[in-house]
Amino acid sequence: MVDTGTNGTAITPQELSDGVVLDRHALFESVVTHAGDVVLVTEAEPIDAASGGPKVVYVNPAFTRMTGYEAHEILGRTPRIMQSPATDRRELDRLRAALLAWRPIEVELLNVRKDGSEFWAQISITPVADRAGHFTHWIAIQREITERKRRELGIKTMLDSTSDLLLVLDDGRVSAASTASRAILGFEPEQVQGRSFEELVHPGDVAPARSILAGAAVPPLGTRAPATVRVKHRDGTWRWLELQASQLTKDEDGLTGVVVACTDVTDRVRVEEELEVTNGRFRSAFDDAPIGMAITSLTGQFLQVNNALCDLLGRSPSMMLAHSVQDVTHPDDVLHSERQRRALTRGAQDTHQHETRFLHSDGTVVGILHSSSVVRDAQGVPTLLIDHVEDITDRQNLEARLQHQALHDTLTGLPNRALFMDRLERALASEDGSGSARVAVLFCDIDRFKTINDTFGHHVGDLVLTSIAQRIQSVLRPTDTAARLGGDELTVLCTSSSAAKAQDTADRIRAALAEPVTINEAQIPVTLSMGIALSAPGRSTAEQLLRDSDDAMYAAKGSGRNRYTLHDEAHSESIRRRLQLKAALPDAILKGELSLHYQPQIDLNTEEQVGSEALVRWHHPTLGILMPGEFIELAEEAGLMRHLGRWVLGEVMRRVALKGRRGVGAPGVIWMNTSASELDDPDFAVGVEKALSQHGVPGSVLGFEITESVLMTNLGRARGNLALLRSLGVQLAIDDFGTGYSSLSYIGQFPVDTIKINSSFIAGLDSPARRRESFAVITAVISLAHSLGLTVVAEGIETQTQSMILHGLGCDQGQGYFFGKPRASGT
């Protein structure tokens, strides 16, 4: 045994005999006593676990501060009394193996204080030998590392629980890695630890990697942009990782480092690279495309154009980008093109193709096949349009020439037999069956044309024929068709006609030929023999009608030439019926045999009723219900139209007033037809004003429909009546627009609100043969009306297809059997 000094320190006899050693011992004792770390000395043996381990022979005061145990409570006992059951067994196995081998070791153990609380200690254990080399003691230096350990464990928990790749770097080396390193880099976390981070980074990306690590120590003022670098996978490939770095806070244990969050963006980068390649190919294909291409906004603004489009329109790219599609579209085509574009931008369809016209910078018109496709965002919302613009000017011109040549006479330029018969068949097919608007054919033969040819030669005969064709054409309505069947035979087709109208046409033709034709200073008088045939609604065929008019023409020739004759089949029966009706008509008004039926007018956008048209029906005691077409003309001839018009106005006023008293308003405007005699009456508008006042009805509920031919009867008086009606708030409409003589020249002179498109054009929308012509007429009428601020109503809509097409073309309202037949309770 040996003597011991204070605090249980063992001192050898030799040390007692050596004063110097005693001074060193005192110095050692002072250092150990005041040290901040725990100094603990145990015996060298026993080491085996069964004996409980070596006994403590010395502890310094820091031990009490760390563990709560006084020195006398631990001396002679094993340090294991402080060991926590939760201590890592692997760390204890390392410690035991070092002790058995008598070698120094440093371990980190979870211990328990006297009060039962746990703490982490970093323990450095060293064996001490005597001069003979025998190990006599173990000296343990202990330091509490609880806070550091908690952070390390927190980091470890974070690394173990996250699915992202997290790397903890210390002096540029990986000190810890999350389990995601296995999936992203192919390395186990332990295989990455200790490696330099820069060794993993692609040489070309070391600079941005260093930049992101250096920036980790600087608190960002905002969101710091990540760095995207290539990091080597275990299999030798490179993965693209997006790096974000943050500095670990340094604590009293000296814990430092940088946490690098790595997001695998390899797939995204590859997609971006592929997109870049694709975009490059697209740009190349776009710029070098042989046809015009453009990217436009939803409003039609050019955002990008290619060389072909610039060349096609004679504009530089900068000029094109300063314009929109609307700016380069022919004015007559803007409305239709805009309607198609809006259908795309509203998501109604994804692609559309139509023929239109663009304007070259020099003002020339370029025929275009315009194809547009919608570009949508991730939510499916339209964002852009891609346009293909193909020049089809030559094709359109060729088609127009070929079509014209196929359907027109080469000498006169008039339609030939094929086109005439086609139009005649379509006119017959569009008849409504009421007989109010019939088809008339005038067969014209030049009197003594053979004598002209024999006298002046066939060349002069051709010139005479051409001049006659021009004169006939000059006096026809736009809806009429003049044609050359061959030789000196000319025909005229009149739609929406009657016997009186056909005869009026014949009179105009005769008047146009009153002056001789001058050829090479020769005055050549010409006359025509004309035969007129009218259709029998629902029974006539084109060939039959042409034959009947031909027969009537021969009858005219037989009567002395230079005249016209009506085809006389059933002529007597027709005359008797007309005379009977004309005689009975005055009493029909007095006896109450007339009634009003109302046909609804529908807003094509909302499909709601916005008005109705009042139509007269004659309940004849023997002939049944007669439609207006069977007696209105008779009323005109008998001078009864003003009386009939006052009756219709009174009936409408009484019905509106009655419904007003019942609290039921009429749905919109009630329209009535106005005759030429009414409009010519200087007191017509004044009478309307009195009727409105008498029944307490506002003028806004009334509307008058006036045909173009009626409007032309007395322009001065008509204009005065219309102006007064307009001041009363009464609505005014031009009926059967497009079938008169002077639509374009007079429409702006009258205060009208509405234009009604004749049903003959509407019927053509369902016919493949007539659709293109109907489209052209209807589109022109709608464009004209809208440019003047007028409402457009389509009459005679009978199918859903017609309704949809008209709505697509921008027509405002519709009327016809598709929406409802005229009914007595229609208001």
Side-chain angles (χ1 to χ4, degrees):
M1 293 294 293
V2 297
D3 295 329
T4 59
T6 59
N7 295 321
T9 304
I11 303 174
T12 64
Q14 186 172 349
E15 289 175 330
L16 292 174
S17 65
D18 190 344
V20 177
V21 174
L22 286 174
D23 290 338
R24 292 173 59 194
H25 171 73
L27 178 61
F28 169 75
E29 181 178 20
S30 176
V31 171
V32 170
T33 299
H34 296 92
D37 291 337
V38 172
V39 178
L40 183 147
V41 182
T42 67
E43 299 173 346
E45 294 179 330
I47 297 175
D48 59 309
S51 64
K55 303 299 186 291
V56 177
V57 297
Y58 174 81
V59 291
N60 67 347
F63 177 81
T64 301
R65 293 194 300 270
M66 178 185 288
T67 67
Y69 288 101
E70 297 293 338
H72 68 273
E73 293 178 300
I74 191 63
L75 293 178
R77 304 177 68 180
T78 174
R80 290 181 183 172
I81 65 172
M82 296 180 296
Q83 193 177 98
S84 170
T87 297
D88 190 342
R89 305 308 304 176
R90 293 173 297 179
E91 199 76 350
L92 293 175
D93 291 342
R94 286 181 58 242
L95 174 58
R96 186 173 297 108
L99 295 178
L100 290 173
W102 298 99
R103 66 173 184 267
I105 187 172
E106 183 178 290
V107 293
E108 294 178 355
L109 300 179
L110 181 62
N111 287 342
V112 180
R113 295 186 179 89
K114 182 179 179 180
D115 62 7
S117 60
E118 293 182 329
F119 68 96
W120 280 94
Q122 183 184 62
I123 308 172
S124 297
I125 303 174
T126 305
V128 179
D130 60 16
R131 297 190 177 195
H134 300 293
F135 291 107
T136 59
H137 296 84
W138 294 96
I139 296 178
I141 307 299
Q142 301 185 24
R143 174 178 296 175
E144 183 174 354
I145 58 169
T146 302
E147 290 303 319
R148 191 196 78 190
K149 199 66 177 178
R150 283 176 179 168
R151 290 181 180 150
E152 289 181 353
L153 290 175
I155 292 175
K156 184 176 185 304
T157 301
M158 175 182 66
L159 295 176
D160 292 342
S161 62
T162 183
S163 59
D164 294 331
L165 175 58
L166 296 181
L167 300 176
V168 179
L169 306 184
D170 192 359
D171 291 332
R173 292 188 173 275
V174 179
S175 61
S178 66
T179 56
S181 64
R182 184 184 308 114
I184 295 178
L185 299 180
F187 292 106
E188 295 295 333
E190 296 79 9
Q191 295 174 311
V192 181
Q193 292 175 8
R195 300 185 63 175
S196 169
F197 180 64
E198 290 188 3
E199 292 178 2
L200 300 173
V201 177
H202 189 282
D205 297 335
V206 169
R210 287 177 179 172
S211 176
I212 200 70
L213 295 179
V218 181
L221 296 177
T223 302
R224 183 183 291 118
T228 304
V229 302
R230 287 162 290 181
V231 177
K232 197 168 190 178
H233 191 275
R234 185 177 183 178
D235 62 8
T237 60
W238 296 97
R239 307 289 295 178
W240 284 97
L241 302 184
E242 192 174 78
L243 309 182
Q244 285 279 20
S246 58
Q247 182 76 38
L248 283 174
T249 304
K250 184 174 181 179
D251 60 15
E252 63 273 13
D253 295 316
L255 182 62
T256 60
V258 175
V259 176
V260 182
C262 309
T263 303
D264 189 353
V265 294
T266 304
D267 292 339
R268 189 193 75 190
V269 171
R270 288 174 179 169
V271 169
E272 290 174 350
E273 291 174 346
E274 292 173 359
L275 284 175
E276 183 62 29
V277 172
T278 302
N279 289 338
R281 292 173 180 168
F282 171 78
R283 285 191 295 271
S284 176
F286 180 90
D287 293 336
D288 300 333
I291 65 171
M293 293 186 67
I295 298 176
T296 61
S297 69
L298 298 184
T299 61
Q301 183 67 39
F302 285 113
L303 302 178
Q304 188 173 346
V305 294
N306 72 346
N307 298 327
L309 182 58
C310 294
D311 294 341
L312 179 63
L313 300 181
R315 293 176 171 87
S316 66
S318 59
M319 292 173 62
M320 290 295 296
L321 296 180
H323 289 81
S324 65
V325 176
Q326 298 92 319
D327 296 332
V328 300
T329 301
H330 191 285
D332 293 343
D333 296 349
V334 169
L335 188 63
H336 176 67
S337 296
E338 274 297 280
R339 190 172 294 110
Q340 307 307 323
R341 184 186 60 77
R342 285 195 295 270
L344 287 172
T345 59
R346 292 171 181 168
Q349 56 195 73
D350 289 329
T351 60
H352 178 76
Q353 184 179 85
H354 69 285
E355 292 187 9
T356 185
R357 291 169 293 175
F358 279 3
L359 296 177
H360 193 277
S361 60
D362 61 9
T364 58
V365 177
V366 183
I368 294 298
L369 180 62
H370 191 180
S371 304
S372 297
S373 302
V374 178
V375 178
R376 301 177 183 273
D377 61 17
Q379 287 71 44
V381 178
T383 57
L384 297 171
L385 296 177
I386 297 180
D387 294 346
H388 292 73
V389 180
E390 183 178 354
D391 183 3
I392 58 171
T393 305
D394 293 341
R395 193 197 79 190
Q396 286 181 334
N397 292 339
L398 177 60
E399 289 176 351
R401 287 196 301 272
L402 293 176
Q403 184 177 29
H404 189 274
Q405 291 171 6
L407 299 176
H408 290 78
D409 174 53
T410 55
L411 176 63
T412 63
L414 295 177
N416 60 15
R417 174 184 287 269
L419 181 55
F420 179 83
M421 295 302 290
D422 176 72
R423 292 184 178 178
L424 177 55
E425 289 173 353
R426 287 187 278 123
L428 291 172
S430 66
E431 287 185 311
D432 60 10
S434 67
S436 59
R438 301 167 68 183
V439 174
V441 172
L442 284 68
F443 201 108
C444 310
D445 186 85
I446 302 175
D447 295 330
R448 299 182 178 87
F449 187 65
K450 184 177 184 299
T451 301
I452 295 175
N453 277 331
D454 292 344
T455 304
F456 298 99
H458 286 278
H459 173 66
V460 172
D462 289 345
L463 295 177
V464 170
L465 184 59
T466 301
S467 178
I468 292 173
Q470 292 171 348
R471 294 190 188 187
I472 292 176
Q473 187 81 359
S474 68
V475 298
L476 297 183
R477 301 176 302 174
T479 54
D480 297 337
T481 297
R484 182 192 181 196
L485 301 188
D488 63 342
E489 295 179 339
L490 305 173
T491 54
V492 176
L493 166 64
C494 301
T495 58
S496 301
S497 187
S498 63
K501 291 180 180 179
Q503 290 173 317
D504 181 63
T505 301
D507 286 335
R508 292 199 307 273
I509 292 174
R510 292 181 63 194
L513 297 177
E515 296 293 329
V517 175
T518 303
I519 304 293
N520 297 330
E521 299 183 353
Q523 302 287 319
I524 305 174
V526 291
T527 60
L528 296 179
S529 294
M530 292 177 280
I532 302 173
L534 294 170
S535 65
R539 298 193 302 275
S540 297
T541 65
E543 291 292 345
Q544 175 189 350
L545 202 58
L546 186 63
R547 184 175 61 251
D548 290 346
S549 64
D550 189 19
D551 292 342
M553 182 270 296
Y554 278 107
K557 276 188 178 294
S559 300
R561 296 185 177 86
N562 191 24
R563 66 188 63 213
Y564 59 82
T565 301
L566 284 171
H567 184 257
D568 64 358
E569 186 176 336
H571 180 73
S572 298
E573 180 181 351
S574 174
I575 293 295
R576 283 193 299 272
R577 179 181 174 92
R578 287 175 58 85
L579 290 174
Q580 177 187 0
L581 293 177
K582 183 182 290 188
L585 189 55
D587 289 337
I589 300 175
L590 296 175
K591 293 178 180 179
E593 293 177 1
L594 302 182
S595 67
L596 290 182
H597 285 210
Y598 299 87
Q599 186 172 34
Q601 289 183 356
I602 304 298
D603 187 311
L604 295 181
N605 289 311
T606 64
E607 298 186 355
E608 296 179 354
Q609 184 174 348
V610 293
S612 57
E613 181 177 0
L615 301 169
V616 183
R617 298 291 185 267
W618 182 0
H619 298 268
H620 195 280
T622 59
L623 299 177
I625 298 178
L626 301 180
M627 307 301 284
E630 297 181 79
F631 61 90
I632 293 297
E633 187 175 318
L634 298 178
E636 283 275 16
E637 294 175 2
L640 296 173
M641 281 307 301
R642 296 182 183 179
H643 183 49
L644 180 59
R646 286 193 293 271
W647 177 85
V648 172
L649 177 62
E651 285 295 302
V652 171
M653 291 293 94
R654 281 189 289 274
R655 178 174 286 270
V656 172
L658 177 60
K659 285 184 173 290
R661 289 193 295 271
R662 293 176 178 175
V664 181
V669 179
I670 300 179
W671 294 92
M672 294 170 287
N673 291 288
T674 304
S675 67
S677 59
E678 289 177 282
L679 204 58
D680 192 49
D681 183 357
D683 297 325
F684 173 65
V686 175
V688 173
E689 183 179 16
K690 292 179 179 178
L692 291 171
S693 176
Q694 178 183 351
H695 292 90
V697 174
S700 58
V701 304
L702 284 184
F704 287 99
E705 296 180 7
I706 309 154
T707 62
E708 295 172 74
S709 58
V710 168
L711 199 61
M712 298 302 110
T713 56
N714 189 326
L715 295 181
R717 196 165 292 165
R719 187 178 289 108
N721 272 320
L722 295 180
L724 178 54
L725 290 174
R726 197 70 186 84
S727 69
L728 299 174
V730 175
Q731 302 286 302
L732 301 174
I734 296 180
D735 195 16
D736 292 333
F737 187 80
T739 61
Y741 304 110
S742 306
S743 306
L744 298 179
S745 60
Y746 286 97
I747 187 173
Q749 300 183 28
F750 296 96
V752 297
D753 309 279
T754 301
I755 286 178
K756 298 189 74 174
I757 304 176
N758 186 264
S759 59
S760 61
F761 301 115
I762 309 305
L765 296 178
D766 278 342
S767 170
R770 299 180 53 199
R771 184 171 296 147
R772 184 168 184 174
E773 178 185 354
S774 295
F775 260 89
V777 173
I778 293 171
T779 301
V781 171
I782 292 174
S783 177
L784 170 66
H786 284 176
S787 68
L788 296 174
L790 305 180
T791 300
V792 181
V793 180
E795 295 181 297
I797 300 176
E798 296 185 355
T799 66
Q800 184 176 18
T801 299
Q802 294 171 353
S803 176
M804 292 176 64
I805 292 175
L806 288 165
H807 178 256
L809 292 177
C811 185
D812 304 302
Q813 299 174 16
Q815 175 182 342
Y817 282 7
F818 176 70
F819 302 112
K821 296 182 179 181
R823 300 190 305 273
S825 59
T827 57

